[in-house]
Amino acid sequence: MPRFLNDVYSVFWVDLRNLRHHWRSTLATSLVQPLLYLVAFGYGLGGGISLEGVSYLAFVIPGIVALTAFSASFNGAASKLQVDRFFYKSFDELLMSPVSIYSIIIGKALIGVLRGFISSSAILLVGIALSPKLAISPWLLLVLLSSCFVFALFGVLATLVINSHQGMSTFSNVVLLPMTFLSGTFFSLTQIPEVAKALLYALPLTHSSSILRALALDAPFPWLSFFILLSFGAAFFIGCVLALKRASV
Amino acid sequence: MLIVGVILAAFIETEKLTKCYGTVKAVQDLDMRVRKGEIFGFLGPNGAGKTTTIRIMTTLTKPTSGCVQINGFDVVKEADKVKKVIGVVQQHLSLDRDLTVKENLEFRARIHHLSAAERKKRITELLEYVELTECADRMIHTLSGGMQKRAAIACSLLHQPQVLFLDEPTVGLDAQGRRRLWDLVRRLNMDGTTIFLTTHYIEEAEALCHRVGIIHHGRLIALDTPLALREKLGLVAVEANVNNKETHYKYFADRASATRYVQSLPATAGTVIIRDSNLEDVFVELTGEKVGGA
Ligand SMILES: Nc1ncnc2c1ncn2[C@@H]1O[C@H](COP(=O)(O)OP(=O)(O)OP(=O)(O)O)[C@@H](O)[C@H]1O
Ligand SMILES: [Mg+2]
């Protein structure tokens, strides 16, 4: 176990160093988009509307926090890993080292977790300032952190499976972008048709945003969603293991 | 029975090594041995299969069939043991270009499980060894090509590998940078590291390597010392230009027989050059092509 954790840290260390050199641009990149959403949807669109008994602003903030956690974690893990794999090829050095693939996977996800957690917490703080009714609890932070982990693993998996830069950008436009908008982030899933609902509940972001919303609005904790979210994490991790074992072509 | 003579231990041994990418046969039926302590050159044109061979030997790619043993361990089945004795400088260097030289070294030392004290010591030593001490805190992307190569070599030496793979180490370097790198490789070899390097530069194989394997379209077509390869062909080459059109090449064991041949040529033969043969001649004769492509 100490060896495992030590290796995880070694893998993470190099990404941390990288972040240290580039933290300003990195932070700016991941904050601009959610802040725009907050302004455009929360203020612009939803000024007077209320949804599920609360103001739209209070409703949408947890969704935007989840969305930020999702895109910052996914991209944080995926973009660095892509560079390591396709441009610098320094990922090969990890594969040739005695570090186990399990440590590699977790270590490579951590930069996404860190970036996702910082960005989404920042949005959360802005959100609380705008809508003071939102409840912030240790539970909320824990769910946020686990969401970041799940999404970062998703980013690692996507990069390991999709073998080109081109493929990654297609994936992010065709799969990720719709997912960020549709997963109950901006609207309530209660009124939509059953078929669409089933489809959307098969996405991890839907569960993350519904748990965060429940916590922020003091509703009962949706255990099922939490369980499903963690299962997604486990599935992504196993996917990464299989991808790395099969890799080396 | 007593066996007289020195048996040079094979450090790397391949057996019918084959790698296919779809219908492309990148490496075919490769059988060769690299001896402990030598500088082995793997010479071949672009696309010959050099990088593919190195990637298989360094556990990054799995062979389609056949096998490789390094230090007696199979690269597929006993990859963990192989990883301990190999170091690689890849064609693309595989450094993190947004980090400093020192940070790259630190990273590689960490993933190879060097303790904090060992890390500090080895990094200082290696920076000295590759003459980059003054550049330790510079970002990789601000270094010259030659400095980047030396940084990559330092990174690959942290865990004291017994064999170092260098994939086209001098491509893109100027004459001075190339010489400097050759010296570094020789020094490493003198210090006991077996070297496996690929190149498509004839002079490099001749100047640096104890033995050379020539690979062409994925097949090994010759393997010996540069001198022995030339001897098989003839140590002296005669280039005779006929009517300013085609140049004919002929090879002879010594100057005397070459001179006799030149004297026997008709007076109309045009320019005639007598020179030492080289590995390029060997390559052209074996393949009917030039190393750098037609
Ligand atoms: N990942 C891959 N997928 C498909 N084909 C590949 C792959 N890697 C190599 N090849 C093919 O295998 C052959 C050998 O390539 P390799 O890179 O080993 O040559 P090389 O001798 O290193 O050439 P160079 O001097 O250009 O580096 C080439 O035809 C190449 O196109
Ligand atoms: Mg190559």
Side-chain angles (χ1 to χ4, degrees):
Chain A
M1 203 59 190
R3 169 55 56 86
F4 174 81
L5 291 178
N6 202 38
D7 281 351
V8 167
Y9 179 67
S10 299
V11 176
F12 183 39
W13 180 88
V14 73
D15 291 347
L16 269 181
R17 276 292 160 142
N18 218 297
L19 190 65
R20 231 169 82 163
H21 289 295
H22 304 283
W23 68 271
R24 285 181 207 87
S25 59
T26 310
L27 194 63
T29 312
S30 39
L31 287 183
V32 167
Q33 209 187 23
L35 284 174
L36 283 176
Y37 288 150
L38 211 57
V39 172
F41 292 97
Y43 268 125
L45 246 174
I49 313 173
S50 68
L51 206 65
E52 289 181 2
V54 291
S55 77
Y56 182 67
L57 188 62
F59 175 87
V60 82
I61 286 169
I64 293 176
V65 170
L67 177 157
T68 310
F70 173 68
S71 67
S73 307
F74 183 97
N75 291 324
S79 63
K80 182 58 171 52
L81 187 54
Q82 267 188 82
V83 169
D84 287 0
R85 270 193 91 202
F86 304 132
F87 297 112
Y88 297 158
K89 317 232 182 221
S90 54
F91 192 63
D92 282 347
E93 299 303 332
L94 272 176
L95 296 178
M96 282 187 287
S97 75
V99 173
S100 75
I101 56 173
Y102 311 104
S103 307
I104 295 179
I105 295 166
I106 303 288
K108 277 293 165 195
L110 283 183
I111 191 67
V113 178
L114 180 70
R115 286 178 54 177
F117 194 66
I118 291 177
S119 304
S120 53
S121 306
I123 295 298
L124 188 63
L125 289 179
V126 177
I128 289 170
L130 293 176
S131 175
K133 265 190 236 113
L134 294 176
I136 184 166
S137 61
W139 264 108
L140 185 105
L141 294 179
L142 187 72
V143 170
L144 194 55
L145 196 62
S146 0
S147 299
C148 291
F149 217 117
V150 173
F151 299 142
L153 283 171
F154 189 21
V156 173
L157 176 64
T159 315
L160 291 178
V161 172
I162 301 170
N163 272 319
S164 72
H165 197 58
Q166 181 63 41
M168 274 305 277
S169 93
T170 310
F171 181 74
S172 99
N173 283 312
V174 175
V175 180
L176 301 183
L177 195 61
M179 197 168 135
T180 54
F181 277 94
L182 301 179
S183 298
T185 37
F186 292 105
F187 54 84
S188 165
L189 292 181
T190 44
Q191 302 104 324
I192 63 166
E194 287 301 316
V195 184
K197 207 189 251 179
L199 216 64
L200 292 180
Y201 273 105
L203 301 174
L205 182 53
T206 309
H207 297 281
S208 172
S209 69
S210 72
I211 307 168
L212 290 174
R213 181 165 294 133
L215 284 169
L217 300 179
D218 243 347
F221 190 81
W223 282 103
L224 183 62
S225 278
F226 189 58
F227 178 73
I228 294 175
L229 183 68
L230 295 185
S231 310
F232 267 109
F236 292 147
F237 182 76
I238 293 167
C240 291
V241 172
L242 296 178
L244 273 182
K245 287 211 163 140
R246 186 185 52 106
S248 54
V249 271
Chain B
M1 202 176 90
L2 191 70
I3 299 170
V4 184
V6 187
I7 298 169
L8 289 161
F11 196 67
I12 304 174
E13 195 168 353
T14 71
E15 210 186 301
K16 295 223 174 309
L17 187 66
T18 302
K19 176 72 188 183
C20 306
Y21 290 107
T23 55
V24 179
K25 289 191 169 167
V27 176
Q28 286 184 65
D29 289 324
L30 197 66
D31 281 306
M32 65 179 189
R33 285 160 184 224
V34 176
R35 296 170 187 158
K36 201 173 174 77
E38 74 178 336
I39 302 181
F40 184 90
F42 209 36
L43 178 68
N46 291 134
K50 304 183 294 294
T51 300
T52 305
T53 306
I54 285 201
R55 287 183 67 86
I56 295 172
M57 288 177 168
T58 54
T59 74
L60 288 172
T61 297
K62 296 207 175 76
T64 309
S65 64
C67 62
V68 185
Q69 292 199 332
I70 294 185
N71 201 21
F73 300 115
D74 186 282
V75 294
V76 178
K77 293 183 209 121
E78 295 161 300
D80 291 346
K81 292 191 175 110
V82 170
K83 285 174 186 175
K84 289 209 175 83
V85 300
I86 59 168
V88 199
V89 177
Q90 301 209 56
Q91 202 167 350
H92 298 284
L93 293 188
S94 62
L95 297 169
D96 195 319
R97 258 152 262 203
D98 289 328
L99 295 183
T100 65
V101 176
K102 211 173 188 166
E103 285 170 330
N104 270 283
L105 283 160
E106 177 92 30
F107 168 59
R108 299 279 284 272
R110 280 171 183 273
I111 62 175
H112 281 281
H113 298 151
L114 270 66
S115 70
E118 282 171 325
R119 285 205 295 270
K120 200 157 174 251
K121 182 164 161 284
R122 287 289 292 160
I123 290 173
T124 314
E125 275 171 13
L126 282 169
L127 282 169
E128 193 77 23
Y129 196 82
V130 301
E131 302 167 42
L132 282 178
T133 307
E134 285 84 59
C135 310
D137 293 316
R138 277 174 61 183
M139 297 271 212
I140 296 290
H141 66 79
T142 68
L143 301 181
S144 75
M147 290 156 120
Q148 291 187 5
K149 296 267 164 159
R150 299 209 304 277
I153 290 180
C155 284
S156 68
L157 292 175
L158 282 158
H159 61 295
Q160 296 176 299
Q162 294 181 40
V163 55
L164 184 64
F165 293 88
L166 298 161
D167 197 356
E168 312 220 8
T170 59
V171 168
L173 300 193
D174 59 19
Q176 208 189 349
R178 182 174 305 175
R179 297 257 157 97
R180 198 164 172 185
L181 205 112
W182 286 355
D183 283 338
L184 177 58
V185 171
R186 288 196 190 102
R187 194 143 42 96
L188 266 169
N189 182 249
M190 297 289 265
D191 293 343
T193 312
T194 303
I195 308 281
F196 184 106
L197 73 89
T198 75
T199 180
H200 59 251
Y201 295 126
I202 301 286
E203 328 83 77
E204 184 158 289
E206 279 177 340
L208 199 57
C209 302
H210 301 136
R211 290 195 311 146
V212 175
I214 299 181
I215 184 171
H216 185 59
H217 293 316
R219 289 184 183 279
L220 187 73
I221 54 175
L223 194 165
D224 217 323
T225 63
L227 184 64
L229 287 171
R230 283 175 51 219
E231 267 171 356
K232 265 178 227 157
L233 181 70
L235 289 174
V236 180
V238 175
E239 292 180 22
N241 189 296
V242 185
N243 303 330
N244 283 325
K245 269 198 213 141
E246 237 178 300
T247 307
H248 290 277
Y249 296 83
K250 263 187 167 304
Y251 303 97
F252 300 91
D254 50 46
R255 293 249 157 196
S257 43
T259 315
R260 242 175 286 133
Y261 165 74
V262 170
Q263 282 162 351
S264 74
L265 288 173
T268 56
T271 325
V272 176
I273 297 167
I274 302 181
R275 58 166 172 81
D276 289 338
S277 66
N278 56 37
L279 281 183
E280 178 149 335
D281 298 317
V282 174
F283 185 86
V284 172
E285 285 302 307
L286 286 171
T287 64
E289 291 171 25
K290 287 232 166 201
V291 185

